[in-house]
Coordinates of all heavy atoms in Angstrom, one line a residue:
M1 N 0.8 -1.2 0.0 CA 0.0 0.0 0.0 C 0.9 1.3 0.0 O 0.5 2.2 -0.6 CB -0.9 0.0 1.2 CG -1.9 1.1 1.2 SD -3.1 0.9 -0.1 CE -4.6 0.9 0.8
N2 N 2.0 1.2 0.7 CA 2.9 2.4 0.7 C 3.4 2.8 -0.7 O 3.6 3.9 -1.0 CB 4.0 2.2 1.7 CG 3.5 2.2 3.1 OD1 2.4 2.8 3.4 ND2 4.2 1.6 4.1
A3 N 3.7 1.7 -1.5 CA 4.2 2.0 -2.8 C 3.2 2.6 -3.7 O 3.5 3.5 -4.5 CB 4.7 0.7 -3.4
A4 N 1.9 2.2 -3.5 CA 0.8 2.8 -4.3 C 0.6 4.3 -3.9 O 0.4 5.1 -4.8 CB -0.5 2.0 -4.0
I5 N 0.7 4.6 -2.6 CA 0.6 6.0 -2.2 C 1.8 6.8 -2.7 O 1.6 8.0 -3.2 CB 0.5 6.1 -0.6 CG1 -0.8 5.4 -0.2 CG2 0.6 7.5 -0.2 CD1 -0.9 5.2 1.3
A6 N 3.0 6.3 -2.7 CA 4.1 7.0 -3.2 C 4.0 7.3 -4.7 O 4.3 8.4 -5.2 CB 5.4 6.3 -2.9
L7 N 3.5 6.3 -5.4 CA 3.3 6.4 -6.9 C 2.2 7.5 -7.1 O 2.4 8.3 -8.1 CB 2.9 5.1 -7.5 CG 2.7 5.1 -9.0 CD1 4.0 5.4 -9.7 CD2 2.2 3.7 -9.4
L8 N 1.2 7.5 -6.4 CA 0.1 8.5 -6.6 C 0.6 9.9 -6.3 O 0.3 10.8 -7.0 CB -1.1 8.1 -5.7 CG -2.3 9.0 -5.9 CD1 -2.8 8.9 -7.3 CD2 -3.4 8.6 -4.9
L9 N 1.4 10.0 -5.3 CA 2.0 11.3 -5.0 C 2.9 11.8 -6.1 O 3.0 13.0 -6.4 CB 2.7 11.3 -3.6 CG 1.8 11.3 -2.4 CD1 2.7 11.1 -1.1 CD2 1.0 12.6 -2.3
L10 N 3.7 10.9 -6.7 CA 4.6 11.2 -7.8 C 3.8 11.6 -9.0 O 4.1 12.6 -9.7 CB 5.5 10.1 -8.1 CG 6.7 9.9 -7.1 CD1 7.4 8.6 -7.5 CD2 7.6 11.1 -7.1
I11 N 2.7 10.9 -9.2 CA 1.8 11.3 -10.4 C 1.2 12.7 -10.1 O 1.2 13.5 -11.1 CB 0.7 10.2 -10.5 CG1 1.2 8.9 -11.1 CG2 -0.4 10.8 -11.4 CD1 0.3 7.8 -11.1
A12 N 0.8 13.0 -8.9 CA 0.3 14.3 -8.6 C 1.3 15.4 -8.8 O 1.0 16.5 -9.3 CB -0.3 14.3 -7.2
L13 N 2.5 15.1 -8.3 CA 3.6 16.1 -8.5 C 3.9 16.4 -9.9 O 4.1 17.5 -10.3 CB 4.9 15.6 -7.7 CG 6.1 16.5 -7.7 CD1 5.8 17.7 -6.9 CD2 7.3 15.8 -7.1
L14 N 4.0 15.3 -10.7 CA 4.2 15.5 -12.2 C 3.1 16.2 -12.8 O 3.3 17.2 -13.6 CB 4.4 14.1 -12.8 CG 4.6 14.1 -14.3 CD1 5.9 14.8 -14.7 CD2 4.4 12.8 -14.9
A15 N 1.8 15.9 -12.5 CA 0.7 16.5 -13.1 C 0.6 18.0 -12.7 O 0.2 18.8 -13.6 CB -0.6 15.8 -12.7
A16 N 0.9 18.3 -11.5 CA 0.8 19.7 -11.1 C 1.8 20.6 -11.8 O 1.6 21.8 -11.9 CB 1.0 19.8 -9.6
N17 N 2.9 20.0 -12.2 CA 4.0 20.8 -12.9 C 3.9 20.8 -14.4 O 4.5 21.6 -15.0 CB 5.4 20.3 -12.5 CG 5.7 20.7 -11.1 OD1 5.9 21.9 -10.8 ND2 5.7 19.8 -10.1
L18 N 3.1 20.0 -15.0 CA 3.0 19.9 -16.4 C 2.5 21.2 -17.1 O 3.1 21.6 -18.1 CB 2.0 18.8 -16.9 CG 2.5 17.4 -16.8 CD1 1.5 16.4 -17.2 CD2 3.7 17.2 -17.7
P19 N 1.6 22.0 -16.6 CA 1.2 23.2 -17.2 C 2.3 24.3 -17.4 O 2.2 25.1 -18.3 CB 0.1 23.8 -16.4 CG -0.5 22.6 -15.6 CD 0.7 21.7 -15.4
W20 N 3.3 24.2 -16.6 CA 4.3 25.2 -16.6 C 5.5 24.9 -17.6 O 6.3 25.8 -17.8 CB 4.9 25.4 -15.2 CG 3.9 25.6 -14.2 CD1 3.4 24.8 -13.2 CD2 3.1 26.8 -14.0 NE1 2.4 25.4 -12.5 CE2 2.2 26.6 -12.9 CE3 3.1 28.1 -14.6 CZ2 1.3 27.6 -12.5 CZ3 2.2 29.0 -14.2 CH2 1.4 28.8 -13.1
F21 N 5.5 23.7 -18.1 CA 6.7 23.4 -18.9 C 6.4 23.4 -20.4 O 7.3 23.1 -21.2 CB 7.2 22.0 -18.6 CG 7.8 22.0 -17.2 CD1 7.4 21.1 -16.2 CD2 8.9 22.8 -16.9 CE1 7.9 21.1 -15.0 CE2 9.4 22.8 -15.6 CZ 9.0 21.9 -14.7
S22 N 5.3 23.8 -20.9 CA 5.0 23.9 -22.3 C 4.1 25.2 -22.6 O 3.3 25.6 -21.8 CB 4.2 22.7 -22.8 OG 3.8 22.8 -24.1
E23 N 4.3 25.7 -23.8 CA 3.5 26.9 -24.2 C 2.3 26.4 -25.0 O 1.6 27.3 -25.5 CB 4.4 27.8 -25.0 CG 5.4 28.6 -24.2 CD 4.8 29.4 -23.1 OE1 3.8 30.1 -23.3 OE2 5.4 29.3 -21.9
R24 N 2.1 25.1 -25.1 CA 1.0 24.6 -25.8 C -0.1 24.3 -24.8 O 0.2 23.9 -23.7 CB 1.3 23.4 -26.6 CG 2.2 23.6 -27.8 CD 2.6 22.3 -28.4 NE 3.3 22.6 -29.7 CZ 2.9 22.2 -30.8 NH1 1.8 21.5 -31.0 NH2 3.6 22.5 -31.9
L25 N -1.4 24.4 -25.2 CA -2.5 24.1 -24.4 C -2.6 22.5 -24.3 O -2.8 21.9 -25.3 CB -3.8 24.7 -24.9 CG -5.0 24.6 -24.0 CD1 -4.8 25.3 -22.7 CD2 -6.2 25.2 -24.7
F26 N -2.5 22.0 -23.1 CA -2.5 20.5 -22.9 C -1.5 19.8 -23.8 O -1.7 18.6 -24.2 CB -3.9 19.9 -23.1 CG -4.9 20.5 -22.2 CD1 -5.9 21.4 -22.5 CD2 -4.9 20.0 -20.9 CE1 -6.8 21.8 -21.6 CE2 -5.8 20.5 -19.9 CZ -6.8 21.4 -20.3
Y27 N -0.4 20.4 -24.1 CA 0.7 19.9 -24.9 C 0.2 19.6 -26.3 O 1.0 18.9 -27.1 CB 1.3 18.6 -24.3 CG 2.2 19.0 -23.1 CD1 1.8 19.1 -21.8 CD2 3.6 19.1 -23.3 CE1 2.6 19.4 -20.8 CE2 4.4 19.4 -22.3 CZ 3.9 19.6 -21.0 OH 4.8 19.9 -20.0
L28 N -0.9 20.0 -26.7 CA -1.5 19.7 -28.1 C -1.7 20.9 -28.9 O -1.4 20.9 -30.1 CB -2.8 18.9 -27.9 CG -2.7 17.5 -27.2 CD1 -4.1 17.0 -27.0 CD2 -1.8 16.6 -28.0
V29 N -2.4 21.9 -28.4 CA -2.9 23.0 -29.2 C -1.9 24.2 -29.1 O -1.7 24.8 -28.0 CB -4.3 23.5 -28.7 CG1 -4.8 24.6 -29.5 CG2 -5.2 22.3 -28.7
P30 N -1.3 24.6 -30.2 CA -0.4 25.8 -30.1 C -1.3 27.1 -30.0 O -2.3 27.2 -30.6 CB 0.3 25.8 -31.4 CG -0.5 24.9 -32.3 CD -1.3 24.0 -31.5
L31 N -0.9 28.0 -29.2 CA -1.6 29.2 -29.0 C -0.8 30.4 -29.6 O 0.4 30.4 -29.6 CB -1.7 29.5 -27.5 CG -2.5 28.5 -26.7 CD1 -2.5 28.8 -25.2 CD2 -4.0 28.5 -27.2
K32 N -1.5 31.3 -30.2 CA -0.9 32.4 -31.0 C 0.0 33.3 -30.1 O 1.1 33.7 -30.5 CB -1.9 33.2 -31.7 CG -2.5 32.5 -32.9 CD -3.5 33.4 -33.6 CE -4.2 32.6 -34.7 NZ -5.1 33.5 -35.4
H33 N -0.6 33.7 -29.0 CA 0.1 34.7 -28.1 C 0.7 34.1 -26.9 O 0.9 34.8 -25.9 CB -0.9 35.8 -27.8 CG -1.5 36.5 -29.0 ND1 -0.8 37.3 -29.8 CD2 -2.7 36.4 -29.5 CE1 -1.5 37.7 -30.8 NE2 -2.8 37.2 -30.6
G34 N 1.0 32.9 -26.9 CA 1.6 32.2 -25.7 C 0.5 31.8 -24.7 O -0.7 32.2 -24.9
K35 N 0.9 31.1 -23.7 CA -0.1 30.6 -22.7 C -0.1 31.6 -21.5 O 0.9 31.7 -20.8 CB 0.3 29.2 -22.3 CG -0.8 28.5 -21.6 CD -0.6 27.0 -21.5 CE 0.7 26.4 -21.2 NZ 0.6 25.0 -20.9
H36 N -1.2 32.2 -21.2 CA -1.4 33.1 -20.1 C -1.7 32.3 -18.9 O -2.0 31.1 -18.9 CB -2.4 34.1 -20.4 CG -2.1 35.0 -21.6 ND1 -1.1 35.9 -21.5 CD2 -2.6 35.0 -22.8 CE1 -1.0 36.5 -22.7 NE2 -1.9 36.0 -23.5
L37 N -1.8 33.0 -17.7 CA -2.1 32.4 -16.5 C -3.4 31.7 -16.4 O -3.6 30.6 -15.8 CB -2.0 33.4 -15.3 CG -2.1 32.9 -13.9 CD1 -1.0 31.9 -13.6 CD2 -2.1 34.0 -12.9
G38 N -4.4 32.2 -17.1 CA -5.7 31.6 -17.2 C -5.7 30.2 -17.8 O -6.4 29.3 -17.3
W39 N -5.0 30.1 -18.9 CA -4.8 28.8 -19.5 C -4.1 27.8 -18.6 O -4.5 26.6 -18.5 CB -4.1 28.9 -20.9 CG -4.9 29.6 -21.9 CD1 -4.5 30.7 -22.5 CD2 -6.1 29.2 -22.5 NE1 -5.5 31.1 -23.5 CE2 -6.5 30.1 -23.5 CE3 -7.0 28.1 -22.3 CZ2 -7.6 30.0 -24.2 CZ3 -8.1 28.0 -23.0 CH2 -8.5 28.9 -24.0
R40 N -3.1 28.3 -17.9 CA -2.4 27.4 -17.0 C -3.3 27.0 -15.8 O -3.2 25.8 -15.4 CB -1.1 28.1 -16.5 CG -0.1 28.3 -17.6 CD 1.2 28.9 -17.1 NE 1.9 29.5 -18.2 CZ 2.8 28.9 -19.0 NH1 3.0 27.6 -18.8 NH2 3.5 29.6 -19.9
A41 N -4.1 27.9 -15.4 CA -5.0 27.6 -14.3 C -6.1 26.5 -14.7 O -6.4 25.6 -14.0 CB -5.7 28.8 -13.8
L42 N -6.5 26.7 -16.0 CA -7.5 25.7 -16.5 C -6.8 24.3 -16.6 O -7.4 23.3 -16.2 CB -8.0 26.1 -17.9 CG -8.8 25.1 -18.6 CD1 -10.2 25.0 -17.9 CD2 -9.0 25.5 -20.1
E43 N -5.6 24.3 -17.0 CA -4.9 23.0 -17.1 C -4.7 22.4 -15.7 O -4.8 21.2 -15.5 CB -3.5 23.2 -17.8 CG -3.6 23.3 -19.2 CD -2.2 23.4 -19.9 OE1 -1.2 23.9 -19.2 OE2 -2.1 23.0 -21.0
L44 N -4.4 23.3 -14.7 CA -4.2 22.8 -13.4 C -5.5 22.2 -12.8 O -5.5 21.1 -12.2 CB -3.8 23.9 -12.4 CG -2.3 24.2 -12.3 CD1 -2.0 25.4 -11.5 CD2 -1.5 23.0 -11.8
V45 N -6.6 22.8 -13.1 CA -7.9 22.3 -12.6 C -8.2 20.9 -13.3 O -8.6 20.0 -12.6 CB -9.0 23.3 -12.9 CG1 -10.4 22.7 -12.6 CG2 -8.8 24.5 -12.0
V46 N -8.0 20.9 -14.6 CA -8.3 19.6 -15.3 C -7.4 18.5 -14.8 O -7.8 17.4 -14.6 CB -8.2 19.8 -16.8 CG1 -8.2 18.5 -17.6 CG2 -9.3 20.7 -17.3
L47 N -6.1 18.8 -14.6 CA -5.2 17.8 -14.2 C -5.4 17.4 -12.7 O -5.2 16.3 -12.3 CB -3.7 18.3 -14.3 CG -3.3 18.3 -15.8 CD1 -1.9 19.1 -15.9 CD2 -3.1 16.9 -16.4
Y48 N -5.9 18.3 -11.9 CA -6.3 18.0 -10.5 C -7.4 16.9 -10.5 O -7.4 15.9 -9.8 CB -6.8 19.2 -9.8 CG -7.5 19.0 -8.5 CD1 -6.7 18.5 -7.4 CD2 -8.8 19.1 -8.3 CE1 -7.3 18.3 -6.2 CE2 -9.4 18.8 -7.1 CZ -8.7 18.4 -6.0 OH -9.3 18.2 -4.8
F49 N -8.5 17.2 -11.4 CA -9.6 16.2 -11.4 C -9.1 14.9 -12.1 O -9.6 13.8 -11.7 CB -10.8 16.8 -12.2 CG -11.5 17.8 -11.3 CD1 -11.5 19.1 -11.6 CD2 -12.2 17.4 -10.2 CE1 -12.2 20.0 -10.9 CE2 -12.9 18.3 -9.4 CZ -12.9 19.6 -9.7
L50 N -8.2 14.9 -13.0 CA -7.7 13.7 -13.6 C -6.9 12.9 -12.6 O -7.0 11.7 -12.5 CB -6.8 14.1 -14.8 CG -6.3 12.9 -15.6 CD1 -7.4 12.1 -16.3 CD2 -5.3 13.4 -16.7
T51 N -6.1 13.6 -11.8 CA -5.3 12.9 -10.7 C -6.3 12.3 -9.7 O -6.1 11.2 -9.2 CB -4.3 13.9 -10.1 OG1 -3.5 14.4 -11.1 CG2 -3.5 13.2 -9.0
G52 N -7.3 13.1 -9.4 CA -8.4 12.6 -8.5 C -9.1 11.3 -9.0 O -9.4 10.4 -8.2
A53 N -9.3 11.3 -10.3 CA -9.9 10.1 -10.9 C -9.0 8.9 -10.8 O -9.5 7.8 -10.6 CB -10.3 10.4 -12.4
I54 N -7.7 9.1 -11.1 CA -6.8 8.1 -10.9 C -6.7 7.5 -9.5 O -6.7 6.3 -9.3 CB -5.4 8.5 -11.4 CG1 -5.4 8.8 -12.9 CG2 -4.3 7.5 -11.1 CD1 -4.1 9.5 -13.4
A55 N -6.7 8.4 -8.5 CA -6.7 8.0 -7.1 C -8.0 7.3 -6.8 O -7.9 6.3 -6.0 CB -6.6 9.3 -6.2
Y56 N -9.1 7.7 -7.3 CA -10.4 7.0 -7.0 C -10.4 5.6 -7.6 O -10.8 4.7 -6.9 CB -11.5 7.9 -7.6 CG -12.9 7.2 -7.4 CD1 -13.6 7.4 -6.2 CD2 -13.5 6.5 -8.4 CE1 -14.8 6.8 -6.0 CE2 -14.7 5.9 -8.3 CZ -15.4 6.1 -7.0 OH -16.6 5.5 -6.9
L57 N -9.9 5.5 -8.8 CA -9.8 4.2 -9.4 C -8.8 3.3 -8.7 O -9.1 2.1 -8.5 CB -9.3 4.3 -10.9 CG -10.4 4.8 -11.9 CD1 -9.7 5.0 -13.2 CD2 -11.5 3.9 -11.9
A58 N -7.7 3.8 -8.2 CA -6.8 3.0 -7.4 C -7.4 2.6 -6.1 O -7.2 1.4 -5.7 CB -5.5 3.8 -7.2
E59 N -8.2 3.5 -5.5 CA -8.8 3.1 -4.2 C -9.9 2.0 -4.4 O -9.9 1.1 -3.6 CB -9.4 4.4 -3.6 CG -10.0 4.1 -2.2 CD -10.5 5.4 -1.6 OE1 -10.7 6.4 -2.3 OE2 -10.8 5.3 -0.4
T60 N -10.7 2.1 -5.4 CA -11.7 1.1 -5.6 C -11.1 -0.2 -6.0 O -11.7 -1.2 -5.7 CB -12.7 1.6 -6.7 OG1 -12.1 1.9 -7.9 CG2 -13.5 2.8 -6.2
R61 N -10.0 -0.2 -6.7 CA -9.4 -1.5 -7.1 C -8.7 -2.2 -6.0 O -8.7 -3.4 -5.9 CB -8.4 -1.2 -8.3 CG -9.1 -0.7 -9.5 CD -8.7 -1.5 -10.7 NE -9.6 -1.0 -11.8 CZ -9.3 -1.2 -13.0 NH1 -8.3 -2.0 -13.3 NH2 -10.1 -0.7 -13.9
T62 N -8.1 -1.4 -5.1 CA -7.4 -2.0 -3.9 C -8.3 -2.3 -2.8 O -8.2 -3.4 -2.1 CB -6.3 -1.1 -3.4 OG1 -6.8 0.1 -3.1 CG2 -5.2 -1.0 -4.5
L63 N -9.3 -1.5 -2.5 CA -10.2 -1.7 -1.3 C -11.5 -2.2 -1.7 O -12.3 -2.7 -0.8 CB -10.4 -0.4 -0.6 CG -9.1 0.3 0.0 CD1 -9.5 1.6 0.7 CD2 -8.5 -0.6 1.0
G64 N -11.9 -2.2 -2.9 CA -13.2 -2.6 -3.4 C -14.3 -1.6 -3.3 O -15.3 -1.7 -4.0
Q65 N -14.0 -0.5 -2.6 CA -15.0 0.6 -2.5 C -14.2 1.9 -2.2 O -13.1 1.8 -1.6 CB -16.1 0.4 -1.5 CG -15.6 0.3 -0.1 CD -16.7 0.0 0.8 OE1 -17.9 -0.2 0.4 NE2 -16.5 0.0 2.1
A66 N -14.8 3.0 -2.5 CA -14.1 4.3 -2.1 C -14.8 4.8 -0.9 O -16.0 4.7 -0.7 CB -14.3 5.3 -3.3
V67 N -13.9 5.4 0.0 CA -14.4 6.0 1.2 C -15.0 7.4 0.9 O -14.4 8.1 0.1 CB -13.3 6.1 2.2 CG1 -13.7 6.8 3.5 CG2 -12.6 4.8 2.5
A68 N -16.2 7.7 1.4 CA -16.8 8.9 1.2 C -16.0 10.1 1.8 O -15.5 10.0 2.9 CB -18.2 8.9 1.8
Q69 N -15.8 11.2 1.0 CA -15.1 12.3 1.5 C -16.0 13.5 1.5 O -16.9 13.7 0.8 CB -13.9 12.6 0.5 CG -13.0 11.4 0.3 CD -12.2 11.0 1.6 OE1 -12.1 11.8 2.5 NE2 -11.7 9.8 1.6
H70 N -15.6 14.4 2.4 CA -16.4 15.7 2.5 C -15.5 16.8 1.9 O -14.5 16.6 1.4 CB -16.7 16.0 4.0 CG -17.5 14.9 4.6 ND1 -18.8 14.7 4.3 CD2 -17.2 13.9 5.5 CE1 -19.3 13.7 5.0 NE2 -18.3 13.2 5.7
W71 N -16.1 18.0 2.0 CA -15.5 19.2 1.3 C -14.1 19.5 1.9 O -13.2 20.0 1.1 CB -16.3 20.4 1.5 CG -16.4 21.0 2.8 CD1 -17.3 20.7 3.8 CD2 -15.6 21.9 3.4 NE1 -17.1 21.4 4.9 CE2 -16.0 22.2 4.7 CE3 -14.4 22.6 2.9 CZ2 -15.4 23.1 5.6 CZ3 -13.8 23.5 3.8 CH2 -14.3 23.7 5.1
E72 N -13.8 19.2 3.1 CA -12.5 19.4 3.7 C -11.4 18.7 2.9 O -10.3 19.2 2.7 CB -12.4 19.1 5.2 CG -13.3 19.9 6.1 CD -14.7 19.2 6.3 OE1 -15.0 18.3 5.5 OE2 -15.4 19.7 7.2
F73 N -11.7 17.4 2.6 CA -10.7 16.6 1.9 C -10.3 17.3 0.5 O -9.2 17.3 0.2 CB -11.3 15.2 1.6 CG -10.5 14.3 0.7 CD1 -9.3 13.7 1.2 CD2 -10.8 14.2 -0.6 CE1 -8.6 12.9 0.4 CE2 -10.0 13.4 -1.5 CZ -8.9 12.8 -1.0
Y74 N -11.4 17.7 -0.2 CA -11.1 18.3 -1.5 C -10.4 19.7 -1.4 O -9.6 20.0 -2.2 CB -12.4 18.4 -2.3 CG -13.0 17.1 -2.5 CD1 -14.1 16.7 -1.8 CD2 -12.5 16.2 -3.4 CE1 -14.7 15.4 -2.0 CE2 -13.0 15.0 -3.7 CZ -14.1 14.6 -3.0 OH -14.6 13.3 -3.2
A75 N -10.7 20.4 -0.4 CA -10.0 21.7 -0.1 C -8.5 21.5 0.1 O -7.6 22.2 -0.4 CB -10.6 22.5 1.0
I76 N -8.2 20.5 1.0 CA -6.8 20.2 1.3 C -6.1 19.6 0.1 O -4.9 20.0 -0.2 CB -6.8 19.2 2.5 CG1 -7.2 19.9 3.8 CG2 -5.4 18.6 2.7 CD1 -7.4 19.0 5.0
T77 N -6.7 18.7 -0.6 CA -6.0 18.2 -1.8 C -5.8 19.2 -2.9 O -4.8 19.2 -3.6 CB -6.7 16.9 -2.4 OG1 -8.1 17.3 -2.7 CG2 -6.7 15.8 -1.4
A78 N -6.7 20.1 -3.1 CA -6.5 21.2 -4.0 C -5.4 22.1 -3.6 O -4.6 22.5 -4.5 CB -7.8 22.0 -4.2
C79 N -5.3 22.4 -2.4 CA -4.2 23.3 -1.9 C -2.9 22.5 -2.0 O -1.8 23.1 -2.4 CB -4.4 23.7 -0.4 SG -5.7 24.9 -0.2
L80 N -2.9 21.2 -1.7 CA -1.7 20.4 -1.9 C -1.2 20.4 -3.3 O 0.0 20.4 -3.7 CB -1.9 19.0 -1.3 CG -0.7 18.1 -1.3 CD1 0.4 18.6 -0.4 CD2 -1.1 16.7 -0.9
F81 N -2.2 20.3 -4.2 CA -1.9 20.3 -5.7 C -1.3 21.6 -6.1 O -0.3 21.6 -6.9 CB -3.2 20.0 -6.5 CG -2.9 19.5 -7.9 CD1 -2.5 18.2 -8.1 CD2 -3.1 20.3 -8.9 CE1 -2.3 17.7 -9.3 CE2 -2.9 19.8 -10.2 CZ -2.5 18.5 -10.4
L82 N -1.8 22.7 -5.6 CA -1.2 24.0 -5.9 C 0.2 24.1 -5.3 O 1.1 24.7 -6.0 CB -2.0 25.1 -5.3 CG -3.3 25.4 -6.0 CD1 -4.1 26.5 -5.3 CD2 -3.1 25.8 -7.5
V83 N 0.5 23.6 -4.1 CA 1.8 23.6 -3.6 C 2.8 22.7 -4.4 O 3.9 23.1 -4.6 CB 1.8 23.1 -2.1 CG1 3.2 22.8 -1.6 CG2 1.1 24.1 -1.2
F84 N 2.3 21.6 -4.9 CA 3.1 20.7 -5.8 C 3.4 21.5 -7.1 O 4.5 21.1 -7.7 CB 2.3 19.5 -6.1 CG 2.3 18.4 -5.1 CD1 1.6 17.2 -5.2 CD2 3.1 18.5 -4.0 CE1 1.6 16.2 -4.3 CE2 3.2 17.5 -3.0 CZ 2.4 16.4 -3.2
S85 N 2.7 22.4 -7.5 CA 2.9 23.1 -8.8 C 4.0 24.3 -8.6 O 4.4 24.9 -9.6 CB 1.7 23.7 -9.4 OG 1.2 24.8 -8.7
V86 N 4.4 24.6 -7.4 CA 5.3 25.7 -7.2 C 6.6 25.5 -7.9 O 7.1 26.5 -8.5 CB 5.5 25.9 -5.7 CG1 6.7 26.9 -5.4 CG2 4.2 26.5 -5.1
P87 N 7.3 24.3 -7.9 CA 8.5 24.2 -8.7 C 8.4 24.5 -10.1 O 9.3 25.2 -10.7 CB 8.9 22.7 -8.5 CG 8.3 22.3 -7.2 CD 7.0 23.1 -7.2
G88 N 7.3 24.1 -10.8 CA 7.1 24.5 -12.2 C 6.9 25.9 -12.4 O 7.4 26.5 -13.4
F89 N 6.2 26.6 -11.5 CA 6.0 28.0 -11.6 C 7.3 28.8 -11.4 O 7.6 29.7 -12.2 CB 5.0 28.5 -10.5 CG 4.8 30.0 -10.5 CD1 4.0 30.6 -11.4 CD2 5.5 30.7 -9.5 CE1 3.9 32.0 -11.3 CE2 5.4 32.1 -9.5 CZ 4.6 32.8 -10.4
V90 N 8.1 28.4 -10.5 CA 9.4 29.0 -10.2 C 10.3 28.8 -11.4 O 11.0 29.8 -11.9 CB 10.1 28.5 -8.9 CG1 11.5 28.9 -8.9 CG2 9.3 28.9 -7.7
Y91 N 10.3 27.6 -12.0 CA 11.1 27.4 -13.2 C 10.7 28.3 -14.4 O 11.5 28.9 -15.0 CB 11.1 25.9 -13.6 CG 11.8 25.6 -14.9 CD1 13.2 25.6 -14.9 CD2 11.1 25.4 -16.0 CE1 13.9 25.4 -16.1 CE2 11.8 25.2 -17.2 CZ 13.1 25.1 -17.2 OH 13.8 24.9 -18.4
S92 N 9.4 28.3 -14.6 CA 8.9 29.0 -15.9 C 8.9 30.5 -15.7 O 9.1 31.2 -16.7 CB 7.6 28.5 -16.3 OG 6.6 28.9 -15.3
H93 N 8.6 31.0 -14.5 CA 8.5 32.5 -14.4 C 9.6 33.2 -13.7 O 9.8 34.4 -14.0 CB 7.1 32.8 -13.7 CG 5.9 32.6 -14.5 ND1 5.6 33.4 -15.6 CD2 5.0 31.6 -14.5 CE1 4.5 32.9 -16.2 NE2 4.2 31.8 -15.5
L94 N 10.3 32.5 -12.8 CA 11.3 33.2 -12.0 C 12.7 32.8 -12.4 O 13.6 33.6 -12.4 CB 11.1 33.0 -10.5 CG 9.7 33.4 -10.0 CD1 9.6 33.0 -8.5 CD2 9.4 34.8 -10.2
W95 N 12.9 31.6 -12.7 CA 14.3 31.1 -13.0 C 14.7 31.2 -14.4 O 15.8 31.6 -14.7 CB 14.3 29.7 -12.5 CG 15.7 29.1 -12.4 CD1 16.9 29.8 -12.5 CD2 16.1 27.8 -12.0 NE1 18.0 28.9 -12.3 CE2 17.5 27.7 -12.0 CE3 15.3 26.6 -11.8 CZ2 18.1 26.5 -11.7 CZ3 16.0 25.5 -11.5 CH2 17.4 25.4 -11.5
R96 N 13.8 30.8 -15.3 CA 14.2 30.8 -16.7 C 14.3 32.1 -17.4 O 15.1 32.3 -18.3 CB 13.1 29.9 -17.5 CG 13.5 29.6 -18.9 CD 12.6 28.6 -19.5 NE 11.2 29.0 -19.5 CZ 10.2 28.5 -20.2 NH1 10.5 27.5 -20.9 NH2 9.0 28.9 -20.1
R97 N 13.6 33.1 -16.9 CA 13.7 34.4 -17.6 C 14.9 35.2 -17.2 O 15.4 35.5 -16.3 CB 12.4 35.2 -17.3 CG 11.3 34.5 -18.0 CD 10.0 35.3 -17.8 NE 9.0 34.5 -18.5 CZ 7.7 35.0 -18.6 NH1 7.4 36.1 -18.2 NH2 6.9 34.2 -19.2

C-alpha cells in the first residue's frame, strides 16, 4: 500500500507541474500569443480532477470501494496540488527568464 501511495504522490507532483513546462495548451494546441495564467489555471484544474480520478480508481481497485469524502478533503488536496505546482511556476516564471 505504501508503494501505491508514493506512486500516486509522484503522479500528482508530475501533473501539477505539467502546465508550466509547455507553451501549448494541454501539450497539443499551439496558442498564438503564448499561454497566459488563465490557460495554465485551466490545465491545473483539469489535471487535478484527472489525478483525483486516478486516485479514485486506485482506491476502488485495492479496497473494493471508495471511502466517502467531505469538502475538507477536496480543499486540502486542491491546496496540496497548488503547492506541488510551485517548482514548475518558479522554473517557468522566475528562474528561466
